[in-house]
Amino acid sequence: MLLVLDVGNTTTVVGIYKGESLLKHWRLVSERHTSDELGIYLLNLMDISGIPRESIGGAVYSSVVPALDMPLDEGLREYLGVKPVKVSASLDLGIEIAYSPRHEVGADRLVNSVAGKARYGAPLIVVDFGTAITLDILNAEGAYLGGTISPGLVTGMEALFGRTAKLPQVSLEPPKSVIGNNTIGSIQAGIMFGNAGLVDRLVTRTWGELGARTRVVATGGHAASIAALSETITDVDPWLTLEGLRLIHERNSPR
């Protein structure tokens, strides 16, 4: 079995693959831990799910939190006995990276692009709703061109509440109308419809520059909610990043 981990600024998504099948997945809060804490944490998750530690034959992770890289690497080696593959632009990804400098591309963006190309072909736009909202663009030849980075839903909401004294915290749910008739509805309309509009505008501008319409795949924690309001998102794939990690491990692990 293969352990895959996508370490983000806000959450870490963990998955267990058996062959090409995703058996288990967990979404955890990203926090600084020692290698021992991380190792024990992973073992507890596996024990609760009835997955023996001896069944893990490999591991791969992408990370945008450098402070967690070494503890995670050491924890996987010490507690699971595997040497993990760390995703970077220097690996064999199976796609051309037309981005300069290559090492500045976030590992999660590369992983999404690898999985997106494998599942949906090219040209393609992948939208990831995380701490940031990222658009990653593949051209007709399947080369990674780059994309956009915008504040995520939670990031924007926290900034709003941090600078306003009277606005209440709200859940990120799509309202029935863009015209909010109370404070909570107004905030939800602004955040949800506003971010759907942001994505749609960026997508249509990208289509114009590419000279063609593409499929638009959404992933991440709020993908389904925004996709329901979007006019351009064609597919929702919540575990796209985990699939990309599996594919990258397949290309870069010893046979």
Side-chain angles (χ1 to χ4, degrees), residues 30-57:
S30 293
E31 296 178 328
R32 294 192 65 169
H33 291 288
T34 67
S35 58
D36 293 322
E37 289 171 332
L38 287 169
I40 293 170
Y41 205 169
L42 291 172
L43 288 180
N44 285 339
L45 289 174
M46 292 167 55
D47 288 343
I48 291 171
S49 301
I51 300 174
R53 67 186 71 182
E54 297 81 12
S55 66
I56 302 299

Side-chain angles (χ1 to χ4, degrees), residues 11-71:
T11 60
T12 294
V13 183
V14 183
I16 301 286
Y17 274 92
K18 183 176 182 181
E20 297 181 2
S21 300
L22 180 61
L23 297 184
K24 293 292 295 184
H25 51 76
W26 304 275
R27 192 179 296 274
L28 315 171
V29 176
S30 293
E31 296 178 328
R32 294 192 65 169
H33 291 288
T34 67
S35 58
D36 293 322
E37 289 171 332
L38 287 169
I40 293 170
Y41 205 169
L42 291 172
L43 288 180
N44 285 339
L45 289 174
M46 292 167 55
D47 288 343
I48 291 171
S49 301
I51 300 174
R53 67 186 71 182
E54 297 81 12
S55 66
I56 302 299
V60 57
Y61 71 94
S62 62
S63 172
V64 295
V65 188
L68 289 176
D69 292 358
M70 185 175 294

Side-chain angles (χ1 to χ4, degrees), residues 157 161 168-175 184 187-189 191-192 222:
M157 188 169 63
F161 296 145
Q169 295 276 354
V170 302
S171 59
L172 290 174
E173 300 175 357
I184 291 177
I187 296 172
Q188 289 176 329
I191 292 175
M192 302 302 289
H222 297 103

Side-chain angles (χ1 to χ4, degrees), residues 108-178:
D108 54 339
R109 304 181 70 182
L110 294 175
V111 171
N112 285 340
S113 300
V114 169
K117 180 183 178 183
R119 282 191 168 176
Y120 303 98
L124 182 71
I125 299 174
V126 179
V127 188
D128 192 342
F129 294 93
T131 306
I133 298 173
T134 58
L135 268 67
D136 295 303
I137 292 94
L138 300 175
N139 65 12
E141 290 71 39
Y144 178 77
L145 302 181
T148 66
I149 302 174
S150 308
L153 275 71
V154 174
T155 304
M157 188 169 63
E158 289 177 346
L160 176 65
F161 296 145
R163 292 182 174 273
T164 52
K166 297 181 65 176
L167 291 182
Q169 295 276 354
V170 302
S171 59
L172 290 174
E173 300 175 357
K176 294 180 180 179
S177 171
V178 72

Side-chain angles (χ1 to χ4, degrees), residues 88-95 102 114 247-252:
S88 71
S90 63
L91 292 182
D92 175 12
L93 302 178
I95 61 173
R102 290 167 56 96
V114 169
L247 292 170
I248 290 171
H249 183 270
E250 191 175 80
R251 295 185 69 94
N252 291 272

